[in-house]
Amino acid sequence: MALSDLPGILEMVLWGALATAAMTGMMQGALGLGLSRLSIPFMVGAMFSGNRRMATVVGVALYILGGWAFAFLYFLMLTSLNLLTWWAGGLLGLVHGLVLLVAALPLFPLIHPRMASDFDAPIARPVLEPPGFLALNYGSGTPLAMLAAQGVYGILIGGLPQLRSVFS
């Protein structure tokens, strides 16, 4: 793949936004269908505000910015490996999802000011439930929903050049 085949900044921003919207829609869909109780935007926003409404607004904004940042990382990683394809993007998305489920989310109670942990005694103020291993504390469907959403995110990011060649 030549350097000229790389997506432009505007295309990366657009596809990063599209992939983030698709991933968020899938996770929120799982939440709405009762397959999962995990809302990462709310969880992140609650780190900055104890007000539920403000936490949601702040969390969604940070989640979108994070989605764009990860889109650039995906583009850079896949391009450097000469694997900017839908299947490599999907594989990277699945790996990213596994890292989130196995390593990142279980660490949240250690850094989140409003989340209980396995080491805390009961307290009077309301706190968020810790995700636990594979985020199973948020429902048995959470791991599958997370992996599917991350996989679609990666497929959209990695598939950009292939779609560009179809329509050009």
Side-chain angles (χ1 to χ4, degrees), residues 41-50 55 58 62 108 111-114 128:
F42 175 72
M43 188 184 293
V44 169
M47 291 179 75
F48 301 98
S49 176
V58 169
L62 291 173
F108 252 67
I111 61 169
H112 199 298
R114 293 176 184 81
L128 296 173

Side-chain angles (χ1 to χ4, degrees), residues 11-78:
E11 288 174 312
M12 284 193 270
V13 168
L14 176 66
W15 281 87
L18 177 67
T20 301
M23 176 180 59
T24 305
M26 289 179 70
M27 288 301 297
Q28 291 302 114
L31 187 69
L33 292 171
L35 301 173
S36 174
R37 294 183 300 113
L38 178 64
S39 172
I40 293 177
F42 175 72
M43 188 184 293
V44 169
M47 291 179 75
F48 301 98
S49 176
N51 177 299
R52 191 169 185 84
R53 290 180 188 189
M54 185 55 71
T56 300
V57 171
V58 169
V60 167
L62 291 173
Y63 196 69
I64 290 169
L65 291 174
W68 274 328
F70 273 100
F72 285 108
L73 292 175
Y74 273 49
F75 281 122
L76 290 173
M77 185 178 293
L78 293 171

Side-chain angles (χ1 to χ4, degrees), residues 74 91-103 105 134 143 146-147 150-151:
Y74 273 49
L91 185 61
L92 182 57
L94 290 175
V95 169
H96 184 186
L98 279 173
V99 169
L100 284 171
L101 288 167
V102 174
L105 287 175
L134 297 178
M146 171 75 81
L147 290 174
Q150 289 293 141

Side-chain angles (χ1 to χ4, degrees), residues 79-138:
T79 301
S80 70
L81 296 171
N82 201 25
L83 289 173
L84 196 53
T85 62
W86 68 268
W87 63 266
L91 185 61
L92 182 57
L94 290 175
V95 169
H96 184 186
L98 279 173
V99 169
L100 284 171
L101 288 167
V102 174
L105 287 175
L107 291 177
F108 252 67
L110 302 176
I111 61 169
H112 199 298
R114 293 176 184 81
M115 184 175 283
S117 78
D118 295 332
F119 308 111
D120 294 330
I123 57 176
R125 66 180 170 87
V127 293
L128 296 173
E129 181 178 15
F133 182 68
L134 297 178
L136 286 169
N137 289 352
Y138 287 100

